Amino acid sequence: MLKKFVFGFTAIVMLWLMAPTVSANEPHYTITTDATYAPFTFQDKNSQYVGIEQDMMKAIAKREDFTYTMKPMSFNSAAQLVSNGQADGIIAGMSITPERRQVYDFSTPYYKTGVAWIVKKDSKIKSLEDLKGQTVALKTGTAASEYGLSLQAKYGFKVKYFNDTDTMYNDVAVGNSAATFEDMPVIQYAIKNGMKLKVMNPNQPGNAGSYGFAVEKHQNKALLTAFNRGFAAIKKDGTYDKIVAKYLGASQATFSGTKADNETVFGILKSNQQALVSGLWQTIELTVIAIVLASIWGILLGVMGVSQMAWVRGLSTTIIYIFRGLPLMVLAFFIYIGLPGLTGVKIPAFTAGIVTLILNEGAYTGAFVRGGFEAVDRGQMEAARSLGLPYGKAMRRVIMPQGLRIMVPSFINQFIITLKDTSILSAIGLLELTQTGSLIVARNSQGFRVWAIIAIVYLILITLLTWLSRWVENKMTMQ
Ligand code: ASN
């Protein structure tokens, strides 16, 4: 019965993971974006991706008859996905620079930018000289961070890196870092929306330039042409100006909701209900699938680890060694960004996330399963064999039931770790609970309240998971 269930479940999950997500006649593209880059791309209070770029893209796709899946993530991952062919294009407040032109083909520029240097609103810092010995926050892989770095030797500051603009701003706002570098239109929008920072060079942006939509160099010519044609049209008929006015005109403050929506826990819960529920659901899905599949894989590794054949034991030890040794985030990046660059096969983020969890959690499970089997008294195996049971049967009938019982607490522990580890997958753009939290903070700057809500939701989930596991444990030991 259990076997059938496990097989059935595995088959369904495999089919689901492999199922193609789109089927349409019009060209369909995957486009990446920086999820926390207001006013260009951000989530509104209904969890929709909005902003100048998102509205532009919608208008252009409609005119040019193509469809697309928008993948919001950190700028650094978004850019890498395009440069290695995992995604078709990127629209993410991406400055057109000579270095990037080596790797990407850019569209017509669509917005003017330049780099601002920024300190806390009431900071005593007056000039770049004052940054000597201080820490400056930068965002990984951005043109603004390159600009900041180019000043480092001259002004003698230390740097630290963040993956998203909002966390970087907050680090300065709470006084951990003394300053940061970010694009002028982005910081000006944040300040207008209440971020307690100030720009030190409002009239002299560094490295003035423009944003462009980009595709991998020499690839996706049709998409780039369609973008340029569509952009020229929306510029000409006034749509572009309307979009810019929508976000930068007088009514823009409404995008982050009212004061009441943001300043009480209840208000935050209410105005972000939809985003929180879908983030929670994604976390639950990842956890349940990963727990089942990693347990199966781990038990297999454990059984291999006590095999009579030395090479099978060796194989199990090696797999456990590799996947237990790799940090989860490195493994996720390797599977999601690294492998497709090599094989040319795109992997959906969800699948990459599940595979990462199976390999990592499965390795830990394999190690304790092997240990559990080894812990069963040797005499048990000898007794079973002397009664005439072959090795396989003795293993299944005598050793496994006893061993698995010893392992129950380790399984429960591993389930909880798996649940917590799903949060690391936010790095590859999965919209689970943690990433949902980042996006909400990016919109309302209520770090304390939002992270408290997210932490409590995790604790509730962990409590439920522990109860469920204990209940199963009781059922098992009563048998
Ligand atoms: N403005 C950044 C750059 O051009 C991109 C970003 O942070 N979204 O590097």
Side-chain angles (χ1 to χ4, degrees), residues 117-127 130-131 134 172-173 175 177-179 196-198 200:
W117 80 277
I118 303 148
V119 296
K120 202 172 158 177
K121 202 168 177 189
D122 53 7
S123 167
K124 295 200 172 57
I125 288 171
K126 297 246 150 20
S127 68
D130 295 341
L131 292 179
Q134 307 265 29
V172 180
S177 295
K196 304 225 168 349
L197 298 175
K198 79 180 162 208
M200 301 298 279

Side-chain angles (χ1 to χ4, degrees), residues 293-359:
L293 296 184
S295 298
I296 297 172
W297 175 230
I299 293 173
L300 193 73
L301 283 175
V303 172
M304 285 164 64
V306 291
S307 160
Q308 285 176 307
M309 283 172 280
W311 72 267
V312 177
R313 286 201 303 276
L315 184 64
S316 157
T317 313
T318 314
I319 295 174
I320 292 176
Y321 175 76
I322 294 175
F323 292 107
R324 210 168 47 161
L326 284 178
L328 193 68
M329 205 194 278
V330 173
L331 189 59
F333 280 138
F334 179 74
I335 294 173
Y336 187 51
I337 299 176
L339 271 188
L342 189 75
T343 59
V345 182
K346 296 179 190 175
I347 309 175
F350 188 81
T351 313
I354 291 286
V355 174
T356 305
L357 288 175
I358 295 174
L359 291 175

Side-chain angles (χ1 to χ4, degrees), residues 77-398:
S77 304
Q80 284 184 47
L81 283 193
V82 174
S83 66
N84 70 9
Q86 264 271 69
D88 301 305
I90 169 167
I91 186 149
M94 186 170 184
S95 301
I96 305 173
T97 66
E99 299 78 37
R100 286 180 177 158
R101 280 191 189 280
Q102 315 276 328
V103 186
Y104 304 93
D105 285 330
F106 281 96
S107 69
T108 328
Y110 60 77
Y111 203 91
K112 282 204 171 52
T113 183
V115 182
W117 80 277
I118 303 148
V119 296
K120 202 172 158 177
K121 202 168 177 189
D122 53 7
S123 167
K124 295 200 172 57
I125 288 171
K126 297 246 150 20
S127 68
L128 287 165
E129 278 78 14
D130 295 341
L131 292 179
K132 196 172 173 59
Q134 307 265 29
T135 302
V136 167
L138 298 177
K139 181 167 138 190
T140 322
T142 61
S145 80
E146 287 300 316
Y147 181 76
L149 274 187
S150 73
L151 303 175
Q152 190 185 16
K154 182 161 174 207
Y155 296 106
F157 49 79
K158 294 179 271 199
V159 297
K160 75 176 176 200
Y161 284 95
F162 291 87
N163 274 329
D164 69 281
T165 298
D166 208 71
T167 320
M168 176 174 86
Y169 285 160
N170 278 317
D171 204 60
V172 180
V174 299
N176 289 338
S177 295
T180 181
F181 290 86
E182 181 50 286
D183 295 359
M184 201 62 92
V186 176
I187 180 63
Q188 281 172 339
Y189 183 84
I191 291 175
K192 224 165 135 186
N193 278 284
M195 182 58 78
K196 304 225 168 349
L197 298 175
K198 79 180 162 208
V199 173
M200 301 298 279
N201 58 337
N203 303 316
Q204 295 150 308
N207 281 354
S210 296
Y211 291 149
F213 168 78
V215 296
E216 189 186 358
K217 202 166 174 66
H218 304 313
Q219 307 289 329
N220 274 312
K221 287 223 164 59
L223 171 59
L224 192 60
T225 313
F227 184 94
N228 280 336
R229 214 171 28 220
F231 179 65
I234 63 167
K235 228 172 153 190
K236 198 157 162 220
D237 73 4
T239 310
Y240 174 81
D241 290 338
K242 265 194 216 137
I243 293 174
V244 173
K246 174 172 163 196
Y247 292 96
L248 300 179
S251 62
Q252 49 91 12
T254 56
F255 285 101
S256 56
T258 61
K259 233 176 158 199
D261 282 345
N262 293 328
E263 293 193 350
T264 61
V265 168
F266 188 67
I268 293 172
L269 276 175
K270 215 172 113 197
S271 59
N272 296 289
Q273 194 180 350
Q274 212 183 332
L276 286 167
V277 169
S278 83
L280 174 66
W281 182 237
Q282 180 80 284
T283 293
I284 294 176
E285 262 182 324
L286 284 166
T287 309
V288 171
I289 297 175
I291 281 180
V292 175
L293 296 184
S295 298
I296 297 172
W297 175 230
I299 293 173
L300 193 73
L301 283 175
V303 172
M304 285 164 64
V306 291
S307 160
Q308 285 176 307
M309 283 172 280
W311 72 267
V312 177
R313 286 201 303 276
L315 184 64
S316 157
T317 313
T318 314
I319 295 174
I320 292 176
Y321 175 76
I322 294 175
F323 292 107
R324 210 168 47 161
L326 284 178
L328 193 68
M329 205 194 278
V330 173
L331 189 59
F333 280 138
F334 179 74
I335 294 173
Y336 187 51
I337 299 176
L339 271 188
L342 189 75
T343 59
V345 182
K346 296 179 190 175
I347 309 175
F350 188 81
T351 313
I354 291 286
V355 174
T356 305
L357 288 175
I358 295 174
L359 291 175
N360 180 280
E361 314 297 340
Y364 280 97
T365 307
F368 72 68
V369 169
R370 182 180 58 194
F373 288 149
E374 282 167 356
V376 177
D377 189 44
R378 279 190 167 275
Q380 296 282 329
M381 180 54 112
E382 282 159 20
R385 297 301 299 273
S386 67
L387 286 173
L389 287 184
Y391 177 83
K393 212 166 196 182
M395 196 67 198
R396 272 197 317 275
R397 293 278 164 79
V398 182

Side-chain angles (χ1 to χ4, degrees), residues 24-100:
N25 306 338
E26 323 171 287
H28 185 89
Y29 300 108
T30 304
I31 294 171
T32 59
T33 189
D34 181 346
T36 61
Y37 218 52
F40 299 97
T41 296
F42 58 108
Q43 259 194 342
D44 70 0
K45 55 179 197 271
N46 304 318
S47 319
Q48 298 301 314
Y49 286 101
V50 294
I52 296 173
E53 290 170 342
Q54 298 304 313
D55 286 14
M56 270 170 62
M57 210 59 217
K58 261 187 219 135
I60 293 173
K62 203 163 152 209
R63 279 180 171 272
E64 291 293 320
D65 284 328
F66 65 84
T67 54
Y68 58 88
T69 308
M70 189 57 73
K71 294 199 153 203
M73 58 187 77
S74 74
F75 173 72
N76 196 32
S77 304
Q80 284 184 47
L81 283 193
V82 174
S83 66
N84 70 9
Q86 264 271 69
D88 301 305
I90 169 167
I91 186 149
M94 186 170 184
S95 301
I96 305 173
T97 66
E99 299 78 37
R100 286 180 177 158

